[in-house]
């Protein structure tokens, strides 16, 4: 699914990613953990194609195709989805209109028929019910005035509707209470199948009680310094990062 | 302005005055007083604080010619069918170059007691009401209008009555020569608990540097509720000068929406007097300018009584070398406790050469009030564009969606569903055209 080879990126003169190597196969969930400033969010942004990063070395293949040359919208249409750490408020843009445009862009690219207003509403309402989002959400402008938890659930709703092959969740758990965390995790678990993969970036082990990872990676100073299975997350919870950093 | 210019203009104006006085002899005292006032003041200049950002030179440097006849003979119904809102079920009062067109106007059966007519047909009944609300304003353009107005709308909704359908005031300019000027005058009286929706459209059919100077007085008595939508969509050569003077009674509701899309120079003076408690007054506007257009909204909201809300929302989208001006003065008098006044002015600048002057001005003499204001001037939000692109929309679609959202904030405040929909489409098609060109 995803193959990252020796990826190096900088912002202005500062090197943030210093050679990332990561392989994600179909059907897998990978967790990326690490202290603040280690490069987790930069990795997510670079995968989604955010401007302002200078890629100095390395390659990123999605199903065998190099995506680093693609625009953010082309990556999205190819099946990359970034759940934003800080979803952007867009006053004046109606949520229904936005989401239907996005869904139809992606469907068009996949050669699927675009959804008309009625079928779209039917589908989105069913998904919203699963995420315990009130229907009045659809009438509100995108993320405008939403609480932190509502914004994160809205990200998961978009992910569900777009059905990406690779979802990157950037600290989707931050600021969520335990109920919201469960709803968000359920949303991720529902889309999980043998043809897609998820990368979950988090500070805390508690999300990984709900979204069980196949692999856990520790990112520190722009490199993955340790990989393991889900027990690594428990070790980090107990011992922190210091024991790894000393050895790095 | 040099003194020579004043004399030349005064000659122009004196000659024009001789022609105008044959319209409505009972208006003569008002006209004469207006002319005298104007002769003393002359046109405002940018030395005056209220006109600091807006020069009237495009208006004052062209000859002054009153359009004593209308170009009605040139028009037929087909032209009306082309304009915005014509497909809705409205009553229409049509004015061509400031003159009422009986032939093109259409008034259905409004409820008994409701008056929807042209002002000139009622001069003898209402002569003492004209100028009641605008009379104290020192703006020389009002003096000029007092002297030269030809006609306009007269709408009177008696107590506990409602307009059975929206009234559409259509002001068409057929001017073909630079300097041709039309002066219109509207009077709206909504008595206690009266309701209605009024649309005001200003459209030019020619491409001359012609001017429109319109003064509207609206009196909203206790408990009345008026929605007033103004669309200024004149040709890019024309000059549009307007002032609205409103006096609101107890618990009155007034929503005034201004869409300033056309004209080389447009200026809207809005003067709202919140005279009694419990009023809700909204001024909501959108300006979209390109080329060398200038759109100016200049408002004074006077909170003279407690427990009143006033909201001003103005968004602007500016291309090329165009300019936007927003001046929002909120005056809270000592007795106006529990005032809730909000003001925002947001501007999207889509060219390096476009400029905006925004000037909020809060003067608060009461201590228990809530007053907020905010102004932004900037480009499209880059984070928002990335967010939309990360969901599969291309850059252009993302920009359009953000601009649509930006205009939607204003359009969505129109309460009348069909009118809101039509304005949404009109604004949207302009944006799409505009954005394709850029």
């Amino acid at each position: 699914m995803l193959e990252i080879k020796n990826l190096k990126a900088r912002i202005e003169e500062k090197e943030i990613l210093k050679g990332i190597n990561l392989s994600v196969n179909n059907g897998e969930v990978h967790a990326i953990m690490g202290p603040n400033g280690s490069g987790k969010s930069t990795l997510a942004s670079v995968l989604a194609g955010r401007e302002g990063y200078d890629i100095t070395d390395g390659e990123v293949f999605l199903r065998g195709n190099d995506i680093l040359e693609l625009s953010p919208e082309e990556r999205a249409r190819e099946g990359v989805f970034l759940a934003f750490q800080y979803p952007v408020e867009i006053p004046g843009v109606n949520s229904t209109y936005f989401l239907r445009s996005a869904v139809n862009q992606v469907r068009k690219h996949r050669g699927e028929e675009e959804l008309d207003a009625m079928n779209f509403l039917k589908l989105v309402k069913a998904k919203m019910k699963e995420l315990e989002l009130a229907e009045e959400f659809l009438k509100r402008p995108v993320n405008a005035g939403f609480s932190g938890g509502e914004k994160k659930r809205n990200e998961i709703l978009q992910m569900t509707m777009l059905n990406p092959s690779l979802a990157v969740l950037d600290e989707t758990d931050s600021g969520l209470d335990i109920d919201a965390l469960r709803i968000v995790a359920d949303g991720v678990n529902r889309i999980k199948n043998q043809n897609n993969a998820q990368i979950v970036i988090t500070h805390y082990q508690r999300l990984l009680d709900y979204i069980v990872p196949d692999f856990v990676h520790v990112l520190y100073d722009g490199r993955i310094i340790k990989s393991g299975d889900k027990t690594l997350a428990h070790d980090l919870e107990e011992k922190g990062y210091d024991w790894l950093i000393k050895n790095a | 302005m040099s003194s020579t210019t004043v004399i030349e203009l005064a000659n122009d104006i004196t000659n024009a005055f001789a022609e105008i006085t044959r319209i409505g002899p009972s208006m003569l005292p008002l006209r004469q007083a207006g002319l005298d006032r104007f002769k003393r003041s002359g046109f405002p200049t940018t030395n005056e604080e209220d006109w600091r950002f807006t020069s009237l030179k495009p208006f004052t440097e062209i000859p002054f010619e009153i359009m004593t006849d209308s170009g009605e003979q040139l028009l037929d119904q087909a032209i009306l069918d082309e304009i915005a809102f014509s497909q809705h079920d409205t009553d229409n009062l049509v004015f061509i170059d400031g003159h009422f067109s009986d032939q093109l106007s259409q008034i259905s059966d409004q409820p008994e007691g409701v008056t929807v007519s042209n002002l000139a047909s009622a001069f003898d009944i209402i002569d003492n009401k004209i100028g009641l609300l605008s009379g104290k304003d020192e703006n020389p353009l009002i003096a000029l209008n007092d002297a030269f107005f030809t006609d306009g709308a007269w709408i009177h909704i008696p107590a506990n009555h409602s307009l059975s359908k929206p009234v559409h005031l259509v002001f068409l300019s057929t001017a073909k020569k630079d300097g041709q000027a039309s002066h219109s005058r509207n009077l709206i009286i909504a008595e206690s608990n009266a309701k209605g929706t009024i649309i005001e459209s200003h459209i030019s059919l020619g491409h001359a540097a012609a001017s429109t100077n319109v003064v509207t007085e609206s009196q909203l008595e206790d408990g009345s509720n008026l929605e007033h939508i103004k669309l200024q969509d004149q040709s890019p050569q024309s000059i549009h000068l307007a002032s609205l003077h409103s006096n609101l009674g107890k618990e009155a509701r007034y929503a005034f929406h201004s869409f300033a899309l056309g004209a080389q120079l447009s200026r809207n003076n809005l003067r709202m007097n919140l005279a009694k408690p419990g009023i809700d007054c909204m001024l909501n506007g959108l300006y979209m300018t390109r080329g060398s257009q200038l759109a100016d909204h200049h408002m004074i909201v006077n909170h003279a009584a407690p427990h009143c809300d006033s909201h001003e929302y103005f968004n602007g989208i500016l291309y090329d070398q165009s300019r936007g001006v927003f001046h929002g003065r909120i005056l809270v008098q000592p007795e106006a406790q529990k005032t809730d006044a909000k003001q925002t002015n947001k501007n999207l600048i889509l060219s390096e050469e476009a400029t905006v002057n925004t000037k909020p001005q809060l003067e608060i003499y009461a201590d228990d009030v809530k007053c907020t204001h905010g102004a932004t001037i900037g480009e499209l939000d880059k984070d928002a564009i990335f967010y939309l692109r990360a969901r599969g929309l291309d850059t252009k679609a993302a920009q359009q969606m953000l601009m649509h959202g930006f205009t939607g904030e204003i359009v969505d405040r129109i309460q009348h569903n069909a009118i809101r929909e039509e304005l949404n489409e009109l604004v949207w098609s302009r944006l799409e055209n505009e954005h394709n060109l850029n």
Side-chain angles (χ1 to χ4, degrees):
Chain A
M1 169 64 63
L2 181 75
E3 189 73 43
I4 303 176
K5 288 183 181 167
N6 193 33
L7 181 64
K8 295 183 182 174
R10 53 173 65 214
I11 303 179
E12 287 159 9
E13 290 309 303
K14 192 168 189 290
E15 188 160 52
I16 312 278
L17 302 182
K18 300 178 177 172
I20 303 267
N21 290 291
L22 180 66
S23 249
V24 178
N25 295 313
N26 281 344
E28 290 178 354
V29 177
H30 288 239
I32 295 180
M33 305 182 74
N36 281 330
S38 56
K40 301 189 300 292
S41 283
T42 298
L43 177 61
S45 293
V46 166
L47 289 177
R50 189 192 278 269
E51 285 166 8
Y53 297 92
D54 193 7
I55 313 292
T56 52
D57 201 2
E59 292 163 309
V60 176
F61 294 99
L62 182 76
R63 293 187 305 255
N65 300 315
D66 191 348
I67 61 167
L68 287 179
E69 292 302 312
L70 299 183
S71 66
E73 58 270 30
E74 287 166 327
R75 299 182 199 198
R77 294 170 195 172
E78 286 291 331
V80 177
F81 180 90
L82 171 65
F84 282 57
Q85 184 179 3
Y86 303 107
V88 183
E89 297 200 15
I90 311 182
V93 174
N94 173 280
S95 289
T96 310
Y97 170 52
F98 155 67
L99 194 50
R100 195 173 143 224
S101 306
V103 166
N104 279 337
Q105 282 295 345
V106 171
R107 290 179 72 95
K108 202 161 83 181
H109 182 76
R110 290 181 191 153
E112 296 167 5
E113 204 179 325
E114 293 184 33
L115 290 177
D116 64 21
M118 236 172 49
N119 284 322
F120 171 79
L121 274 182
K122 226 194 265 173
L123 189 63
V124 75
K125 281 181 180 172
K127 301 294 184 194
M128 287 174 77
K129 215 168 180 179
E130 293 175 353
L131 292 166
E132 298 179 29
L133 280 168
E135 278 185 19
E136 52 109 20
F137 252 63
L138 291 173
K139 294 188 189 134
R140 288 165 59 183
V142 180
N143 291 326
F146 286 21
S147 71
E150 286 173 330
K151 284 179 185 167
K152 296 299 176 75
R153 275 185 283 162
N154 192 24
E155 293 294 287
I156 300 303
L157 173 67
Q158 292 169 29
M159 180 189 75
T160 307
M161 292 297 294
L162 293 169
N163 194 20
S165 37
L166 177 73
V168 181
L169 289 86
D170 189 6
E171 299 199 19
T172 301
D173 53 331
S174 64
L176 293 187
D177 63 29
I178 199 75
D179 290 328
L181 189 71
R182 181 185 48 76
I183 293 168
V184 161
D186 286 350
V188 176
N189 290 330
R190 258 193 303 271
I191 69 154
K192 188 173 179 308
N193 63 36
Q194 283 312 303
N195 299 313
N196 63 24
Q198 292 82 37
I199 295 176
V200 180
I201 293 171
T202 180
H203 264 296
Y204 306 104
Q205 128 74 20
R206 62 170 195 168
L207 176 67
L208 305 179
D209 288 339
Y210 297 93
I211 305 173
V212 182
D214 300 294
F215 298 94
V216 174
H217 309 278
V218 177
L219 189 61
Y220 175 72
D221 193 25
R223 288 187 189 91
I224 289 175
I225 57 168
K226 175 96 181 161
S227 294
D229 62 14
K230 63 182 176 183
T231 59
L232 177 56
H234 290 283
D235 293 345
L236 292 170
E237 182 82 354
E238 269 173 42
K239 300 195 260 181
Y241 293 107
D242 286 352
W243 61 283
L244 284 173
I245 292 168
K246 276 176 198 147
N247 298 335
Chain B
M1 190 184 295
S2 73
S3 54
T4 345
T5 334
V6 171
I7 293 160
E8 274 172 29
L9 269 173
N11 279 340
D12 256 9
I13 287 170
T14 310
N15 293 341
F17 192 70
E19 286 190 59
I20 198 77
T21 46
R22 67 184 169 84
I23 298 176
S26 61
M27 295 292 116
L28 191 58
L30 181 72
R31 294 191 190 286
Q32 189 63 56
L35 185 71
D36 293 346
R37 253 177 25 245
F38 184 76
K39 276 181 172 169
R40 282 195 301 273
S41 62
F43 286 110
T45 69
T46 49
N47 293 329
E48 290 163 52
E49 188 54 33
D50 282 354
W51 295 88
R52 214 172 106 200
F53 304 115
T54 300
S55 166
L56 280 176
K57 273 190 175 173
F59 180 46
T60 58
E61 286 182 343
I62 53 179
F64 185 85
E65 184 195 329
I66 291 293
M67 299 186 77
T68 45
D69 291 309
S70 78
E72 178 168 17
Q73 61 279 9
L74 308 168
L75 300 180
D76 60 30
Q77 187 65 37
I79 285 166
L80 281 189
D81 293 341
E82 297 283 305
I83 67 174
F85 314 116
S86 60
Q87 303 310 314
H88 297 299
D89 186 19
T90 58
D91 275 352
N92 301 326
L93 289 173
V94 180
F95 300 91
I96 300 165
D97 304 321
H99 299 267
F100 181 61
S101 167
D102 198 12
Q103 186 201 332
L104 295 179
S105 298
Q106 192 201 339
I107 310 297
S108 64
D109 295 332
Q110 287 283 355
E112 185 154 352
V114 170
T115 306
V116 174
S117 79
N118 65 315
L119 198 68
S121 67
F123 274 161
D124 294 340
I125 316 166
I126 52 169
D127 55 351
N128 60 345
K129 293 192 174 73
I130 300 175
L132 276 185
L133 302 181
S134 66
K136 290 199 182 105
D137 199 311
E138 286 174 1
N139 176 3
L141 298 174
I142 294 167
L144 198 63
N145 184 286
D146 281 351
F148 290 105
F149 72 89
T150 43
D151 207 342
W154 158 230
I155 297 172
H156 177 222
I157 318 171
N160 304 311
H161 282 58
S162 302
L163 293 176
S164 59
K165 57 176 79 169
V167 175
H168 187 188
L169 315 179
V170 182
F171 295 92
L172 294 171
S173 164
T174 66
K176 289 199 170 56
K177 268 167 62 188
D178 290 356
Q180 287 185 315
S182 65
H183 292 72
S184 301
R185 187 79 174 212
N186 301 314
L187 181 61
I188 301 165
I189 296 178
E191 289 185 4
S192 51
N193 303 314
K195 280 186 191 163
T197 302
I198 295 169
I199 314 168
E200 183 185 342
S201 297
H202 295 267
I203 292 152
S204 28
L205 302 174
H207 293 279
S211 67
T212 300
N213 179 18
V214 55
V215 174
T216 301
E217 296 174 86
S218 57
Q219 167 76 27
L220 275 74
E221 291 177 4
D222 298 354
S224 60
N225 186 343
L226 199 66
E227 179 163 44
H228 183 167
I229 300 115
K230 177 179 172 184
L231 170 64
Q232 183 275 107
D233 197 14
Q234 294 186 192
S235 73
Q237 296 80 15
S238 53
I239 292 146
H240 181 87
L241 307 165
S243 64
L244 171 69
H245 303 263
S246 297
N247 187 54
L248 312 190
K250 193 179 166 198
E251 291 171 11
R253 291 175 171 272
Y254 195 13
F256 178 78
H257 313 275
S258 173
F259 291 82
L261 308 184
Q264 166 191 184
L265 161 63
S266 72
R267 162 87 169 204
N268 276 287
N269 275 13
L270 308 173
R271 302 291 180 260
M272 318 308 286
N273 186 39
L274 281 49
K276 296 278 171 59
I279 291 163
D280 189 339
C281 174
M282 172 168 70
L283 304 176
N284 179 50
L286 176 71
Y287 43 97
M288 298 194 332
T289 54
R290 62 198 144 88
S292 57
Q293 283 183 297
L294 184 157
D296 179 351
H297 287 90
H298 187 287
M299 56 210 85
I300 302 175
V301 176
N302 182 34
H303 279 263
H307 294 282
C308 292
D309 295 354
S310 71
H311 295 162
E312 291 152 48
Y313 310 98
F314 282 78
N315 285 9
I317 298 184
L318 300 104
Y319 290 92
D320 306 330
Q321 305 86 41
S322 66
R323 292 177 52 206
V325 179
F326 172 89
H327 180 121
R329 182 172 170 208
I330 299 173
L331 195 59
V332 182
Q333 307 286 0
E335 57 272 30
Q337 300 294 356
K338 305 284 181 193
T339 285
D340 186 351
K342 278 195 200 85
Q343 182 187 82
T344 59
N345 174 225
K346 299 201 241 176
N347 295 281
L348 261 186
I349 295 205
L350 299 174
S351 138
E352 284 183 6
E353 295 156 289
T355 53
V356 168
N357 295 104
T358 180
K359 187 181 170 196
Q361 196 184 351
L362 305 183
E363 281 176 57
I364 302 169
Y365 301 104
D367 50 21
D368 185 12
V369 301
K370 219 164 82 186
C371 291
T372 58
H373 68 87
T376 59
I377 300 174
E379 301 164 6
L380 288 169
D381 180 358
K382 288 195 173 71
D383 289 336
I385 288 179
F386 175 65
Y387 188 75
L388 296 174
R389 292 179 72 194
R391 298 296 177 255
L393 279 78
D394 63 36
T395 307
K396 194 174 141 191
Q399 288 171 341
Q400 283 186 342
M401 191 175 274
L402 292 181
M403 284 197 287
H404 197 179
F406 187 75
T407 59
E409 289 178 34
I410 301 299
V411 174
D412 286 349
R413 292 198 185 91
I414 298 173
Q415 294 142 31
H416 192 286
N417 290 333
I419 295 169
R420 183 181 60 243
E421 280 309 306
E422 172 140 4
L423 266 168
N424 182 40
E425 277 170 34
L426 188 139
V427 165
W428 188 220
S429 69
R430 292 293 161 88
L431 272 180
E432 280 190 313
N433 287 339
E434 205 58 60
H435 212 64
N436 282 337
L437 294 174
N438 280 266

